Amino acid sequence: MARLPEYVQIKEVGARDGLQNEKKWISSADKVAWINMLSESGLSEIEYTSFVNPKMIPALSDAREVGKKIRRNPKVLYSALVPNMKGLEYALEAGIDGASVFMSASEMHNQKNINKTINETFPVLDEVVKEAKDTGKRVTGYISTVFDCPYEGRISPEQVLRVCEKLLESGVDDLSLGDTIGSAVPTQVEQLLEVLMKHYPKEKLILHFHDTRGMAIANIMTSMHYGINRFDSTVGGLGGCPYAPGAAGNVATNDVLYLLHGLGIETGINEKKIQDAGIYIQNKLGKILPSRSLAYFANAQ
Ligand code: HMG
Ligand code: MG
């Protein structure tokens, strides 16, 4: 078994994957205040919104306003979800350091989520990636449903590999592999990484676990034993994809930090500031978030 990494990079996706799934409207001013709190926590990347069709994701319909108002910390890379050229145009106007393009390994989730077949999606993203790279942006390619699809069931590593190849050909810098419905167990993670790591160095791969069934921490441990040291997570465990029935929140940044710091792995992130950010957004949403370590922190206050 490989040694655990000494450093792990966390991308905080709460303001995007987290809020996209919330029915309660969070005002632009509150989003900005929350992102500003996150910016001072030591995080090196914050995915702060989505420049998608606002009718599909009403919770983030103020993406441009939020992007223009956040206080930028030069140590943080600010990225956002971008589905097409219109989204890229808005994102560049609002200010991004990184663009995250996205699609699925499974045909049906791709259709429901972005209204295109997989083959129709490649040229659209190709144009976005090229333009984003020409303007000097870092580009991540998300691939959803890499383990299971809510409509098609089990997805093979070969299906994922095909999408990885196309996105890397387009010029994405790295790939974020999404357990969209939080269904994977560690053996599925092993099977996928065994295939992908024959083709790509670990530096290209980010793992993005939702925690529907409480398996995300086990899956992160498994990934780290394969040398993976980049993960996406959300404060409090917010999140989910409105176009993936049954998908619960992402793994909580609070819980991941408790694990990593307990293992002696560096992240550069201040755990207390993430807990405070968890309390802030929990109060704004008016509900208890799923993170266990956030609950422990809140009870101890
Ligand atoms: P479409 O309906 O095929 O596009 O959408 P269209 O070009 O026909 O446009 C339809 C309408 O949307 C038009 O407006 C466009 O102007 C508008 P109308 O004429 O009806 O008034 N429009 C836009 N408006 C603002 N910004 C834009 C934009 N594009 C079109 N960028 C599209 C195609 C991809 C845009 C749409 O299907 C969409 O927005 N989908 C996004 C769905 C989404 O955000 N899902 C959640 C994020 S993915 C996720 O959570 C998974 C992830 O976390 C990883 C994991 O967990 O697996 C990343
Ligand atoms: Mg997600």
Side-chain angles (χ1 to χ4, degrees):
M1 210 173 240
R3 282 177 45 208
L4 291 172
E6 286 170 13
Y7 172 81
V8 162
Q9 190 187 7
I10 302 288
K11 183 199 336 163
E12 171 58 44
V13 296
R16 193 281 299 173
D17 206 339
L19 295 185
Q20 77 181 10
N21 207 32
E22 292 298 329
K23 302 245 169 344
K24 181 160 186 220
W25 172 253
I26 302 294
S27 73
S28 309
D30 288 344
K31 285 177 184 139
V32 169
W34 186 49
I35 296 164
N36 289 346
M37 280 178 89
L38 294 170
S39 293
E40 299 308 318
S41 68
L43 282 160
S44 54
E45 178 169 356
I46 298 174
E47 195 170 77
Y48 74 86
T49 194
S50 280
F51 294 92
V52 295
N53 178 353
K55 289 195 187 112
M56 286 188 73
I57 306 285
L60 302 180
S61 56
D62 57 353
R64 281 189 278 176
E65 192 183 341
V66 169
K68 284 177 185 162
K69 291 198 172 147
I70 50 178
R71 195 175 53 240
R72 311 261 168 166
N73 178 341
K75 293 187 183 139
V76 179
L77 189 142
Y78 294 90
S79 55
L81 221 59
V82 174
N84 53 19
M85 288 303 281
K86 183 169 186 166
L88 183 63
E89 183 194 320
Y90 289 165
L92 292 174
E93 185 197 320
I96 48 162
D97 306 305
S100 309
V101 297
F102 59 105
M103 63 182 296
S104 310
S106 63
E107 200 59 70
M108 277 183 75
H109 184 260
N110 205 67
Q111 282 280 1
K112 301 260 184 197
N113 199 36
I114 55 174
N115 203 20
K116 284 176 197 59
T117 65
I118 287 180
N119 281 337
E120 285 164 355
T121 307
F122 292 130
V124 175
L125 298 191
D126 205 43
E127 197 184 356
V128 173
V129 175
K130 291 207 162 52
E131 180 68 21
K133 292 302 298 175
D134 283 351
T135 52
K137 308 303 173 197
R138 207 279 323 274
V139 183
T140 293
Y142 274 109
I143 307 175
S144 288
T145 61
V146 299
F147 301 108
D148 297 285
C149 169
Y151 309 102
E152 294 177 26
R154 193 56 60 90
I155 301 301
S156 72
E158 288 68 32
Q159 281 171 277
V160 181
L161 185 62
R162 171 173 172 253
V163 179
C164 290
E165 269 169 12
K166 286 283 203 180
L167 287 177
L168 286 167
E169 260 169 45
S170 287
V172 302
D173 296 290
D174 45 28
L175 298 162
S176 180
L177 307 168
D179 181 10
T180 315
I181 55 170
S183 60
V185 295
T187 43
Q188 284 174 273
V189 176
E190 284 171 15
Q191 283 154 14
L192 182 63
L193 290 178
E194 288 284 348
V195 173
L196 296 189
M197 290 180 77
K198 286 197 179 92
H199 297 264
Y200 314 118
K202 65 178 168 51
E203 289 73 24
K204 291 271 178 216
L205 304 177
I206 304 162
L207 270 291
H208 176 107
F209 290 110
H210 284 258
D211 202 22
T212 315
R213 296 162 181 82
M215 295 294 115
I217 289 288
N219 289 333
I220 286 176
M221 278 303 291
T222 302
S223 309
M224 288 197 296
H225 281 300
Y226 275 80
I228 301 293
N229 69 349
R230 301 173 70 192
F231 298 97
D232 299 339
S233 59
T234 61
V235 165
L238 275 164
C241 175
Y243 300 96
N250 294 70
V251 65
T253 309
N254 318 58
D255 300 350
V256 177
L257 291 179
Y258 181 80
L259 171 76
L260 296 175
H261 294 166
L263 291 169
I265 296 173
E266 281 180 34
T267 64
I269 302 168
N270 181 316
E271 228 170 304
K272 163 80 169 59
K273 289 189 176 176
I274 293 295
Q275 300 288 30
D276 290 341
I279 301 284
Y280 176 90
I281 199 66
Q282 189 162 266
N283 288 340
K284 292 292 170 192
L285 288 166
K287 67 175 191 188
I288 301 293
L289 294 176
S291 165
R292 301 285 288 274
S293 61
L294 176 61
Y296 182 84
F297 176 80
N299 287 335
Q301 292 285 295

